[in-house]
Every structure is written in C-alpha cells, then in structure tokens.
Amino acid sequence: MLVNSATSFQKTIISPRRPRSLYFNDDTYVGFVPGGQIEVIAIDPERGGMFYIFNRLERGKTPRIRRSESCLTCHATAQMNGVPQLVVESVVPGITGGGEVAFRRDLSGHAVPLDDRFGGWLVTGAPQSLKHRGNILIEWTKGKAVERVIQPGELYNPARYPLPTSDILPHLLQEHQVGFINRAVAASYRTRVLLHENGGKAEPVTAELEKLARELVRYLLFADEVPLPKGGVAGSKEFKADFLAKRRIASNGHSLRDLDLETRLMRFRCSYMIESPAFAGLPGPLRRQVDRELALALAPDPVRKDYAYLPAEEKRMIREILENTLTFPLKVPTE
C-alpha cells in the first residue's frame, strides 16, 4: 500500500511526489520510503507496538537496528492512555505531504464508514461505487483549498517501489487488523492495571473484565462491520493468494481466512486475528472471559441479542472451524 501524507518520523521526505509504501502480515508492519530508512512495527503480545528503524540493506553489511522512541509521540498519545498502538488515520495532504485536513485519528476498525477512510493514501482496484477519501490532494487556488483527484503513479515513478499498486483489499484488511490489535492491546493493559490494583485477584474486577471481553468478542465477530459497496470488491489476485496461503483449514474444508468480498470482508464472521499473537497474548483472566463470551455468542440456543445478526448455520460453521483449527474451548458455562 502507498501513503503520500507525511505521517511518519520521516515526514521530511514523504509527499505525493515520494509516497511511503507499507507491507504487513498479522503481527508485523514494514514501511519503506525511497532514499529513506526502513521502519518496522512488531506487535508484542503483551506490550503492543514495538518500533524499530534501520538503514536500507547493503550487500555484505549487517544493518544496525535500533528502537525508535520518537514513534511513540503519535503511537502512544494521551488519547491512547499511553498504550503503544497502531494509527490508521485519514489526512488529506497538500503537495508537500503536510496534512491540510485530518479526521478519524482516534478511530480504527471495520466500523469506520468507508467514506471516511484512506485520506492521504493511494488506492487502486476500488470499484467506482466505493466513495472514500483516498487519491485526493489539496491545492490552494486564489486563497482557497481545492481538492484534486490524483492517480497512483501520476506524481512519482512507480518503478522505485517493490509493487506499483495500493490495492483496496489490503487497505480493508489492514483496517480490520489494526482495529483488533488496538482493542486487544488496550484491553490487556487495562486488565493488568486492574489486577495490580487488586493484588492480582480477578474476582473483584469480574464485571469490568466481562465488559472488556464482550467488546473484544463483538469486534472479533464483526458486530458493527460496515457493508461493502454495491457490487463488492475484487482485490488483487496476488494479494489474495498470499493471504489465503495462511489458511488453517478445518475438516469441513473452510477457514477463518475465507473471503466474501461481496457484501462484507469475510465469509465467516469470526476474525482470523483470533489466530494471531495479539490474541494469544491476552492475560489469563481476560482470556477466560473472552472464551466464555465467545462460547455464549456462538451457542445455537438461546440466541443472544448482541449476536442475533449471525445466522445459526454461520455460527455452526464458525464453531467447527474454531474447534478444528484452534481446539477452542467452546463450552457454554452452566453457572
């Protein structure tokens, strides 16, 4: 993916004339700017985002990798309660890359309206029916800010990048992943604070742990996902092949990575991020509440109001996938 807003510590060299490219998997994010340094965010299951920087690789030389604390200026703000998180904001830039208009800074995840997303980003492969804030540059004309639509590659040389595209599908999946990681990390930090304040005992804070778990499970089960535009999205064949290569296939032949892309992201609305280190690293007392809430959410009967949007057959398929691929304890508590 390509971003042309100067929202990085390398902001002096990022602009619509030299965008930054981003690459990611479930727990690592890599940023590259031609002529600049390599930025890496690795998700620590307990501590959240860990930020690193190093010079470009040179043949025969070992790169000097260092932790970058300056990244926390934006990635661990007061609004984030100082918790290291990921930021996917919308910033519509001017020609120098500086933000002219910024919005949805503190929001992330699949519930963010599509027409508020991708400001400052370049987007390829999106259907015309998808209205968004990507591919827009602000120019000043006679003292007035005027939005100009730009095409990827119009202001820079695509050959300087490993890939010339900035496909819509990784944009959508990144938004979903970031939303989960931020919620999981924040809930983990909050859980550890609660346990510390209560001498390591979970019983006095059961109600708050249940609330944190419910919020996580609702997100995992795509409770507030905004629908895709009419006609859906196609997505890059190469990206889809890479994404699906990581499928954990259940005995029924399905996985949590199976894509829908017609009306929603995933065929089965339980996030594949449940397989990620961010989920595995949830503190024990919180994880037990999450397991309990998930079992209740996916139980065939009674149907819980919070999860009534999930048809019985879809819940059954999700249970089978979880039990086959993660040996998940989906036993409904009797108490």
Side-chain angles (χ1 to χ4, degrees):
M1 300 180 298
L2 297 167
V3 55
N4 55 26
S5 59
T7 47
S8 161
F9 87 101
Q10 298 189 89
K11 60 186 178 182
T12 57
I13 62 173
I14 299 171
S15 75
R17 293 192 176 100
R18 182 161 49 175
R20 177 170 54 136
S21 57
L22 293 176
Y23 309 89
F24 68 95
N25 59 20
D26 293 359
D27 59 4
T28 307
Y29 296 76
V30 178
F32 161 75
V33 189
Q37 295 177 298
I38 305 294
E39 307 167 47
V40 176
I41 304 177
I43 306 302
D44 183 283
E46 294 185 358
R47 294 180 290 175
M50 299 288 107
F51 303 86
Y52 302 89
I53 186 78
F54 58 93
N55 293 328
R56 291 188 63 182
L57 301 178
E58 297 183 46
R59 188 181 299 275
K61 293 185 178 181
T62 301
R64 178 177 176 270
I65 301 174
R66 60 183 176 86
R67 287 280 298 276
S68 175
E69 295 183 357
S70 62
C71 297
L72 298 178
T73 302
C74 294
H75 286 274
T77 64
Q79 289 82 359
M80 300 172 184
N81 295 316
V83 176
Q85 297 187 19
L86 303 176
V87 178
V88 185
E89 60 184 345
S90 278
V91 176
V92 182
I95 191 62
T96 62
E100 297 287 350
V101 179
F103 48 98
R104 60 149 294 200
R105 180 174 178 80
D106 299 320
L107 299 176
S108 63
H110 51 239
V112 175
L114 293 173
D115 55 9
D116 279 346
R117 299 191 199 179
F118 316 139
W121 298 78
L122 295 168
V123 182
T124 61
Q128 290 187 347
S129 58
L130 174 55
K131 306 302 179 185
H132 60 84
R133 301 293 293 172
N135 302 341
I136 295 176
L137 177 70
I138 287 184
E139 295 180 331
W140 287 89
T141 303
K142 297 180 180 180
K144 293 184 178 181
V146 179
E147 290 188 353
R148 170 190 165 192
V149 176
I150 56 174
Q151 298 303 319
E154 178 182 340
L155 300 177
Y156 62 91
N157 180 6
R160 301 184 71 188
Y161 296 84
L163 285 174
T165 54
S166 188
D167 190 64
I168 182 62
L169 181 54
H171 276 290
L172 294 170
L173 288 171
Q174 180 194 226
E175 183 77 56
H176 165 68
Q177 287 190 194
V178 168
F180 173 73
I181 289 170
N182 286 348
R183 286 163 173 78
V185 170
S188 294
Y189 269 76
R190 180 59 183 158
T191 297
R192 289 195 290 270
V193 169
L194 291 170
L195 294 175
H196 175 74
E197 292 174 344
N198 288 274
K201 297 179 180 179
E203 291 80 5
V205 293
T206 296
E208 186 154 0
L209 292 178
E210 288 177 346
K211 180 181 178 182
L212 291 172
R214 189 171 301 112
E215 291 172 353
L216 276 179
V217 170
R218 280 181 54 80
Y219 191 85
L220 281 168
L221 299 183
F222 290 88
D224 300 308
E225 179 187 17
V226 298
L228 294 179
K230 185 177 181 180
V233 299
S236 155
K237 291 182 180 179
E238 293 79 8
F239 181 85
K240 284 194 287 189
D242 183 72
F243 180 78
L244 295 174
K246 302 179 182 69
R247 295 171 76 225
R248 295 187 184 184
I249 303 174
S251 59
N252 58 20
H254 298 296
S255 87
L256 296 181
R257 286 182 179 262
D258 292 349
L259 297 163
D260 178 81
L261 303 186
E262 293 182 4
T263 60
R264 59 180 188 254
L265 265 181
M266 312 308 297
R267 181 176 180 184
F268 304 108
R269 283 170 288 184
C270 179
S271 176
Y272 58 91
M273 292 299 288
I274 204 170
E275 303 167 353
S276 70
F279 183 84
L282 295 175
L286 176 61
R287 172 63 189 272
R288 287 189 285 275
Q289 291 296 337
V290 168
D291 290 353
R292 179 181 186 276
E293 180 69 17
L294 194 59
L296 291 169
L298 296 176
D301 189 66
V303 176
R304 302 193 74 193
K305 182 179 179 181
D306 282 351
Y307 308 102
Y309 62 93
L310 289 171
E313 178 62 13
E314 186 177 353
K315 290 196 292 185
R316 184 186 70 80
M317 295 293 285
I318 292 171
R319 289 198 305 272
E320 285 188 15
I321 294 170
L322 290 174
E323 290 167 350
N324 274 217
T325 61
L326 293 172
T327 58
F328 216 89
L330 288 173
K331 294 183 179 180
V332 179
T334 56
E335 70 274 11

